[in-house]
Amino acid sequence: MKLKWMGILLGTVLLCGGCQSMLPKAPGLATAAWAAQNYQRQDQLEIQWKEHSFSFLLYQQQQGSKLEMLALTLTGQQLFKLSFDGRKVHVEQRIEQMKLLPFEFVVRDILYATYPNFAQLQQQNIRVETSAQTQKVFINQQHVLNIQQQDDAIELNNVQVPYQMVISRINDGLENSDVESTNLESTE
């Protein structure tokens, strides 16, 4: 009887462990041109997916070639912590409710919307059509994202999943190191 229950438990663990690896990979994320730099940004994100909507604070910090993202609820509870090294998203911590969240897609979309010139780092089949304040991102000839820049926010519409995200920059507390990293690049 014990052997039967151990077999069921082991099978369940293997099946659930395979769930994460079964999530699709996000095309247009990995880049060979990823470079080390100093970069910081903090935003408030509001996401609408199906009938669910939620808000959280997102802190991005890159020192060297590792970009870290930390998400907190508006009351300070940590939702997830992850890093991106130019090739892969490494989820370090997450709450149970976010266990099956496709972090690669979320990170990819945030980087296309907020990271300086991320689309230009791609050497894959990426095309960005820009008109006025709107960008349409095509990956492998498939329309995947609409990004609309506004004065105080970025509206992101993932047309594949689909979900909508509004990214509002928070300037208090962090220096704008976009300018600093541009200056570093021009002196090399």
Side-chain angles (χ1 to χ4, degrees):
M1 188 69 162
K2 277 186 177 179
L3 188 56
K4 178 181 173 183
W5 286 109
M6 285 297 281
I8 291 172
L9 179 62
L10 181 59
T12 304
V13 167
L14 290 175
L15 181 63
C16 291
C19 293
Q20 275 292 49
S21 63
M22 291 174 50
L23 291 174
K25 300 294 180 195
L29 177 63
T31 176
W34 186 256
Q37 67 173 327
N38 290 320
Y39 170 76
Q40 288 183 323
R41 182 180 172 106
Q42 58 184 359
D43 298 288
Q44 179 175 337
L45 278 67
E46 297 174 32
I47 299 177
Q48 179 69 41
W49 180 60
K50 295 184 179 182
E51 67 277 350
H52 307 285
S53 82
F54 49 96
S55 296
F56 60 89
L57 302 173
L58 180 71
Y59 299 93
Q60 298 181 59
Q61 180 172 339
Q62 181 178 353
Q63 293 179 331
S65 61
K66 184 178 180 181
L67 174 69
E68 294 182 328
M69 292 185 178
L70 175 66
L72 302 172
T73 64
L74 300 179
T75 59
Q77 176 189 6
Q78 184 171 317
L79 298 173
F80 63 84
K81 181 179 181 184
L82 55 85
S83 63
F84 176 66
D85 60 9
R87 295 179 310 276
K88 186 176 178 185
V89 173
H90 305 276
V91 179
E92 297 169 19
Q93 298 173 342
R94 65 180 169 249
I95 63 171
E96 185 65 30
Q97 294 86 338
M98 295 189 162
K99 187 171 186 166
L100 296 179
L101 185 69
F103 283 107
E104 283 196 6
F105 286 88
V106 172
V107 169
R108 179 198 69 187
D109 295 351
I110 290 170
L111 291 176
Y112 274 96
T114 65
Y115 195 85
N117 305 315
F118 185 73
Q120 295 170 353
L121 296 175
Q122 300 300 316
Q123 297 173 349
Q124 301 171 6
N125 192 8
I126 308 294
R127 180 171 49 104
V128 178
E129 292 180 1
T130 303
S131 62
Q133 296 176 326
T134 303
Q135 294 178 320
K136 291 183 178 182
V137 178
F138 294 83
I139 300 174
N140 297 325
Q141 300 177 354
Q142 185 176 13
H143 184 202
V144 296
L145 295 172
N146 289 326
I147 303 169
Q148 184 168 1
Q149 301 282 338
Q150 298 178 351
D151 291 336
D152 57 346
I154 300 169
E155 289 186 22
L156 185 144
N157 182 13
N158 183 310
V159 296
Q160 288 181 311
V161 175
Y163 70 85
Q164 293 77 39
M165 182 185 306
V166 176
I167 303 170
S168 303
R169 186 147 190 174
I170 302 170
N171 289 320
D172 296 336
L174 287 178
E175 294 180 24
N176 184 354
S177 51
D178 296 353
V179 175
E180 181 180 276
S181 24
T182 304
N183 291 339
L184 289 173
E185 292 170 5
S186 63
T187 59
E188 293 179 355

